[in-house]
């Protein structure tokens, strides 16, 4: 089937999943066949170009169908295993960095130094190769006998991380060099992401991150954190440093080669000739790279590339100028960590000035108050800009940005524009320092900063409309009040229809039966089911109730500590209000609870100082009073006062149940194993935690042993 040229030529994105799977299977077999012939030093049946086409086809399909990447995929086969953390890899020659220049004068000074060092006459022209400087991730590729054997990141310059498996997924990377080639050579280059690919990738990451947030609100399992990269450089670096090469394979990475490290023999006399060799071996070399006959041509090259910059498919931050003659490079050598024979002439950041019309304060879903500059529209680097981030309160104060000021805007690559400073001479008379609000613009509650935090946050929580949906979701979520049927979508719907604006509203929904039934797709059964689920949770355990309030820093663990300590809502509420007075008995008591530090105490006291929060709490408690916490566990249990960790899959108990049982017996359940852990209960497929327990000599219990000791 893969021999059908029409099929192979088809755009992989148009394949069905079945077709893609079938073709990947056939390609894996076919490439393995040719690899065996090649490595067995038999006469290969196909040319290198045909071989590369197969590999490229395989990668192109994998990029479209990352879930279909096979365990025996040619893109994963070298070494045969998936990385479990990266091995260190020492470079044959150190990978250095470049010094920068920012002007024609500085470039002239760089050239003068070269002349002085080499003792050259002023008339002797210095030929340079100019290469656009892409801001990506530099890598070192080792080829032995023409075959790619190892690839590493730059690391500290001497030693990087072995990312061979991941680099193998990059279509631009030649697995074999076209002959002739030195017996051994290190090739250096830059892995990067195109601007358009980056934007598309960032959009998918943003969606994934939102979906993850929604899962969090529902109390579901989260899996790995989703990184939304700020710029193409971070996207490329993050993609190469994935532990699972299948993820790297799904990222649109490109590679340009531009330098070499250790080589068994010199492949050329000049850098320009070396670039030609790179191309002949099969590497992509930036097509804008150019040989300049003398240093006098650098300024015009710089200007030309500068003009093209915005229209290029990828971000560049300057041009690298490398002395063309390799014998001169060798004589010049290095100073510190940079060569004397090359420099990066950086572009000035794209800047513009405009007038700051206003500073808006946005309230995020977590209550963070973020200032945003509203400006007279201005074009920076080909893009019209109206808004810029001002980051936070301190940033505004530090730069003394005032409304009415003329501000200097800067755009670096594709990232969000920033205000770098003001033009003081243009400040209008009467402009006053910006007073950052201390109340939330969305709900009027106090907005506070805690200790070292640069962010000011609304304390309104439940009553703040900017945070309301998020808070409601949290309140209803599985780990909090656990109201079935009140997931993300329904919370949003009920909020939008004005049916639920606060947690107390949830417990009044039974009076809105008709309004619920009027919702599209909501029949009697669905309504009844939801109302039943709400009724079932009207009297929730105090700890769930406290956790559900969504007070900052009061996670499940702290909610439990509070519930156990204060037992009833009434007691907790009264003591929290009394604890406002520093030095009071109630404050001392709060501070004495094992596990509640001063920052948490502060947060609690602040929350209770908010009249609107208190009103919402009382309203909620009136309709849905929580159950008092159970009396502390029997002190004679083997688990009383001990710290337990559960790991792996339990067979007879759910994790929640097992944890609850352990806690009932007075144990503290934590997530990670440390010297303080007393027992680790190990289920099936236990991973690193069991190993850690063994290492630390912590007592390990099987599920059966746990049950027995717990008397279950
Ligand atoms: S040559 C000894 N050439 O810039 C010279 N570097 O600031 C080593 N870079 O780590 C580098 N494009 O990540 C060289 N055409 C180019 C480059 C380039 C981008 C990056 C590379 C390096 C950094 C040095």
């Amino acid at each position: 089937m893969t021999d059908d040229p029409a099929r192979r030529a088809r755009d992989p994105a148009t394949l069905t999943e079945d077709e893609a799977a079938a073709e990947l299977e056939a390609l894996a077999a076919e490439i393995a066949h040719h690899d065996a012939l090649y490595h067995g030093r038999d006469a290969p049946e196909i040319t290198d170009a045909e071989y590369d086409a197969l590999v490229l086809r395989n990668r192109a399909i994998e990029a479209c169908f990352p879930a279909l990447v096979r365990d025996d995929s040619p893109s994963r086969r070298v070494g045969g295993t998936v990385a479990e953390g990266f091995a260190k890899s020492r470079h044959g020659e150190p990978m250095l960095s470049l010094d920068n220049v920012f002007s024609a004068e500085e470039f002239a000074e760089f050239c003068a130094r070269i002349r002085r060092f080499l003792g050259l006459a002023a008339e002797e022209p210095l030929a340079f190769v100019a290469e656009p400087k892409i801001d990506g991730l530099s890598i070192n590729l080792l080829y032995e006998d023409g075959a790619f054997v190892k690839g590493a990141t730059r690391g500290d310059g001497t030693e990087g991380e072995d990312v061979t498996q991941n680099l193998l997924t990059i279509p631009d990377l030649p697995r074999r060099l076209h002959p002739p080639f030195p017996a051994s050579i290190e090739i250096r280059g830059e892995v990067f992401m195109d601007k358009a690919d980056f934007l598309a990738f960032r959009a998918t990451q943003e969606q994934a991150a939102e979906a993850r947030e929604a899962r969090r609100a529902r109390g579901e399992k989260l899996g790995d954190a989703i990184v939304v990269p700020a710029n193409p450089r971070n996207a490329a670096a993050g993609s190469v440093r994935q532990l699972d090469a299948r993820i790297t394979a799904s990222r649109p990475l490109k590679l340009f080669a531009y330098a070499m490290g250790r080589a068994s023999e010199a492949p050329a006399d000049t850098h320009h000739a070396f670039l030609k060799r790179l191309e002949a071996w099969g590497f992509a070399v930036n097509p804008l790279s150019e040989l300049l006959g003398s240093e006098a041509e650098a300024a015009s090259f710089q200007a030309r590339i500068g003009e093209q910059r915005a229209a290029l498919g990828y971000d560049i931050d300057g041009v690298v100028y490398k002395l063309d003659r390799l014998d001169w490079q060798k004589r010049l050598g290095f100073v510190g960590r940079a060569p004397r024979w090359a420099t990066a002439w950086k572009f000035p950041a794209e800047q513009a000035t405009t007038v700051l019309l206003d500073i808006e304060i946005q309230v995020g879903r977590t209550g963070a108050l973020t200032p945003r500059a509203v400006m007279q529209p201005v074009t920076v680097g080909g893009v019209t800009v109206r808004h810029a981030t001002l980051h936070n309160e301190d940033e505004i104060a530090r730069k003394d940005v005032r409304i009415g000021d003329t501000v200097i805007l800067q755009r670096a690559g594709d990232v969000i524009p920033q205000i770098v400073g003001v033009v003081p001479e243009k400040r209008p008379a009467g402009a006053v320092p910006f007073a950052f609000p201390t109340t939330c613009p969305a709900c009027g509650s106090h907005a506070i900063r805690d200790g070292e935090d640069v962010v000011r946050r609304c304390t309104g929580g439940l009553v703040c409309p900017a945070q309301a949906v998020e808070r409601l979701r949290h309140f209803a979520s599985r780990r909090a009040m656990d109201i079935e049927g009140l997931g993300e979508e329904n919370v949003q719907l009920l909020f939008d229809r004005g049916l639920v604006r606060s947690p107390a509203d949830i417990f009044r929904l039974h009076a809105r039966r008709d309004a619920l039934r009027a919702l599209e797709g909501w029949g009697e059964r669905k309504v009844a089911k939801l109302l039943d689920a709400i009724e079932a949770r009207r009297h929730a355990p105090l700890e769930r109730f406290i956790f559900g309030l969504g007070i900052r820093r009061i996670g499940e663990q702290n909610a439990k500590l509070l519930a156990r300590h204060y037992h009833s809502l009434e007691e907790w509420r009264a003591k929290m209000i009394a604890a406002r007075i520093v030095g009071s008995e109630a404050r001392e008591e709060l501070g004495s609870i094992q596990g509640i530090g001063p920052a948490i105490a502060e947060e609690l006291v602040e929350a209770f100082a908010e009249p609107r929060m208190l009103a919402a709490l009382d309203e909620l408690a009136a309709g849905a009073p929580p159950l008092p916490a159970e009396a502390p566990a029997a002190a004679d249990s083997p688990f009383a006062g001990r710290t337990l960790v559960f790991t792996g899959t339990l067979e007879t108990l759910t994790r929640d149940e097992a944890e609850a049982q352990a806690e009932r017996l007075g144990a503290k359940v934590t997530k990670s194993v440390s010297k303080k852990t007393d027992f680790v209960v190990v289920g099936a497929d236990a991973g690193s935690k069991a190993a850690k327990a063994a290492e630390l000599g912590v007592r390990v219990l099987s599920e059966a042993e746990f049950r027995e000791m717990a008397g279950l």
Side-chain angles (χ1 to χ4, degrees):
M1 175 184 51
T2 49
D3 291 333
D4 173 358
R7 163 154 246 152
R8 189 163 290 158
R10 251 176 75 189
D11 179 349
T14 68
L15 296 173
T16 66
E17 222 173 83
D18 284 349
E19 286 171 336
E23 195 173 339
L24 287 176
E25 185 181 352
L27 280 165
E30 201 174 341
I31 293 170
H33 168 73
H34 295 302
D35 278 346
L37 287 181
Y38 180 82
H39 292 301
R41 304 265 179 235
D42 273 332
E45 289 170 354
I46 57 173
T47 65
D48 281 0
E50 284 165 335
Y51 176 88
D52 287 347
L54 292 176
V55 172
L56 283 180
R57 177 69 182 166
N58 187 69
R59 284 179 206 163
I61 300 174
E62 286 179 347
C64 291
F65 298 91
L68 296 184
V69 175
R70 303 166 56 84
D71 284 341
D72 67 345
S73 164
S75 65
R76 310 217 296 153
R77 209 167 41 240
V78 172
T81 50
V82 178
E84 303 204 272
F86 298 109
K88 293 267 180 253
S89 171
R90 214 181 162 75
H91 309 308
E93 243 174 45
M95 290 179 80
L96 299 148
S97 58
L98 291 167
D99 278 339
N100 299 321
V101 301
F102 290 93
S103 65
E105 291 70 41
E106 287 178 12
F107 185 75
E109 179 47 37
F110 159 74
C111 294
R113 260 198 319 270
I114 292 179
R115 281 177 195 290
R116 270 201 306 277
F117 194 95
L118 295 176
L120 299 178
E123 311 80 62
E124 181 96 51
L126 294 180
F128 283 101
V129 173
E131 302 166 3
K133 185 170 185 294
I134 297 183
D135 204 10
L137 178 76
S138 54
I139 48 150
N140 187 31
L141 309 167
L142 177 63
Y143 286 82
E144 305 270 15
D145 294 326
F148 173 59
V149 294
K150 191 158 84 167
T153 59
R154 179 168 178 274
D156 63 5
T158 311
E159 203 176 55
E161 286 174 323
D162 183 336
V163 287
T164 309
Q165 297 299 323
N166 297 355
L167 296 177
L168 276 166
T169 69
I170 301 176
D172 290 335
L173 182 130
R175 290 176 151 232
R176 288 188 282 169
L177 305 182
H178 301 299
F181 40 73
S184 166
I185 187 165
E186 286 180 332
I187 304 295
R188 271 110 197 236
E190 202 82 358
V191 175
F192 65 98
M193 214 181 257
D194 273 346
K195 290 183 202 170
D197 287 337
F198 163 70
L199 290 175
F201 171 59
R202 188 175 61 177
T204 56
Q205 292 297 94
E206 273 167 355
Q207 278 169 8
E210 263 177 41
R212 187 174 188 272
E213 267 315 302
R215 285 203 297 280
R216 182 204 299 287
R218 292 195 296 262
E220 289 174 10
K221 272 214 168 118
L222 289 182
D224 293 342
I226 309 274
V227 179
V228 178
N231 53 45
R233 200 208 103 76
N234 292 356
S239 298
V240 169
R241 298 192 66 261
Q242 290 290 330
L243 286 178
D244 184 344
R246 281 175 297 187
I247 298 176
T248 312
S250 72
R251 307 277 172 87
L253 297 173
K254 295 193 172 172
L255 167 69
F256 279 140
Y258 51 62
M260 73 179 176
R262 188 158 69 188
S264 56
E265 62 198 85
D269 293 334
T270 65
H271 184 64
H272 188 246
F274 169 67
L275 293 185
K276 294 283 165 221
R277 292 296 302 272
L278 282 175
E279 283 178 337
W281 286 332
F283 288 99
V285 172
N286 191 319
L288 298 172
S289 304
E290 213 170 274
L291 175 62
L292 310 181
S294 81
E295 68 243 52
E297 293 173 34
S300 61
F301 186 87
Q302 189 74 14
R304 188 149 46 85
I305 294 289
E307 279 162 23
Q308 294 178 34
R309 180 180 179 191
L312 291 179
Y314 42 81
D315 267 343
I316 59 171
D317 59 357
V319 177
V320 183
Y321 293 89
K322 298 176 182 171
L323 196 62
D324 192 39
R325 277 180 60 166
L326 297 182
D327 57 336
W328 283 356
Q329 284 191 9
K330 198 157 179 214
R331 279 173 59 196
L332 284 158
F334 297 85
V335 51
R337 308 184 55 79
R340 285 195 188 82
W341 44 265
T343 194
W345 187 342
K346 294 283 197 72
F347 294 127
E350 293 167 299
Q351 289 192 338
T353 57
T354 184
V355 176
L356 180 67
L357 302 174
D358 195 9
I359 296 175
E360 284 177 357
I361 305 291
Q362 297 178 315
V363 189
R365 296 204 303 182
T366 54
L369 266 53
T370 314
R372 184 167 89 138
V374 184
M375 299 163 301
Q376 219 147 55
V378 65
T379 311
V380 200
V383 175
T384 305
V385 174
R386 290 185 179 77
H387 298 116
T389 172
L390 281 164
H391 299 291
N392 56 54
E393 184 171 359
D394 290 355
E395 190 81 357
I396 299 177
R398 196 171 59 76
K399 293 179 180 156
D400 189 19
V401 180
R402 306 183 183 187
I403 294 169
D405 268 344
T406 295
V407 292
I408 303 162
L409 260 188
Q410 178 168 308
R411 247 184 97 240
D414 274 319
V415 279
I416 307 145
Q418 308 213 345
I419 289 182
V420 286
V422 304
V423 185
E425 311 84 68
K426 295 204 175 167
R427 172 165 289 167
V432 290
F434 181 69
F436 203 92
T438 52
T439 53
C440 171
C443 74
S445 299
H446 291 299
I448 61 160
R449 280 175 69 169
D450 104 59
E452 62 289 13
D453 197 353
V454 291
V455 178
R456 188 173 286 276
R457 290 173 201 278
C458 168
T459 54
L462 292 167
V463 296
C464 179
Q467 302 171 67
V469 172
E470 203 51 36
R471 296 297 180 125
L472 285 167
R473 280 178 189 157
H474 170 77
F475 180 76
S477 70
R478 195 173 63 81
R479 294 201 160 257
M481 295 294 277
D482 193 19
I483 303 175
E484 211 170 313
L486 261 193
E488 180 181 6
E489 268 175 43
N490 284 344
V491 168
Q492 184 75 54
L493 176 75
L494 297 176
F495 185 84
D496 290 345
R497 298 298 164 87
L499 287 165
V500 173
R501 288 291 160 111
S502 72
D505 288 341
I506 294 174
F507 296 97
R508 291 194 281 250
L509 270 179
H510 56 88
R512 312 290 306 268
R513 229 171 225 279
D514 290 344
L516 288 172
R517 286 215 354 232
L519 295 171
E520 201 179 320
W522 284 56
E524 180 55 42
R525 263 186 53 201
K526 184 164 178 176
V527 171
K529 209 169 153 207
L530 176 64
L531 292 177
D532 284 351
I534 291 170
E535 235 28 70
R537 307 302 294 168
R538 188 177 287 276
H539 305 290
L542 179 60
E543 61 195 51
R544 285 179 173 268
F545 182 96
I546 294 177
F547 175 56
L549 295 176
I551 299 168
R552 227 162 81 80
R553 293 181 195 264
I554 307 300
E556 271 177 294
Q557 200 63 38
N558 288 334
K560 272 180 201 163
L561 293 175
L562 293 168
R564 272 196 217 152
H565 185 88
Y566 293 104
H567 301 300
S568 73
L569 176 63
E570 295 68 33
E571 173 78 4
W572 180 54
R573 181 188 183 284
K575 289 280 176 66
M576 290 304 98
I577 291 168
R580 275 208 78 180
I581 298 160
V582 179
S584 65
E585 217 173 285
R587 183 65 167 257
E588 302 273 293
E589 183 184 346
L590 177 60
S592 76
I593 302 174
Q594 186 75 27
I596 302 281
I600 299 169
E602 181 75 32
E603 202 83 50
L604 276 165
V605 168
E606 282 291 341
F608 276 84
E610 191 59 57
R612 304 176 61 164
M613 138 78 189
L614 215 49
L617 173 67
D618 291 344
E619 203 188 335
L620 172 63
L627 300 171
E630 284 170 27
D636 56 357
S637 148
F639 297 124
R642 301 305 188 89
T643 302
L644 253 80
V645 172
F646 288 91
T647 180
T649 314
L650 302 180
E651 274 159 17
T652 61
L653 295 164
T654 66
R655 181 68 76 82
D656 282 348
E657 212 179 328
E659 289 182 8
Q661 293 288 5
E663 278 163 358
R664 185 183 56 82
L665 295 170
K668 187 172 159 209
V669 178
T670 63
K671 294 194 166 51
S672 56
V673 180
S674 73
K675 276 185 289 190
K676 291 190 191 147
T677 312
D678 296 299
F679 299 100
V680 175
V681 182
V682 175
D685 299 324
S688 57
K689 288 181 195 171
K692 181 90 185 275
E695 188 190 314
L696 294 174
V698 172
R699 183 152 170 214
V700 173
L701 301 178
S702 67
E703 185 173 347
E705 285 167 327
F706 167 72
R707 289 191 69 120
E708 196 183 317
M709 286 171 72
L712 295 174

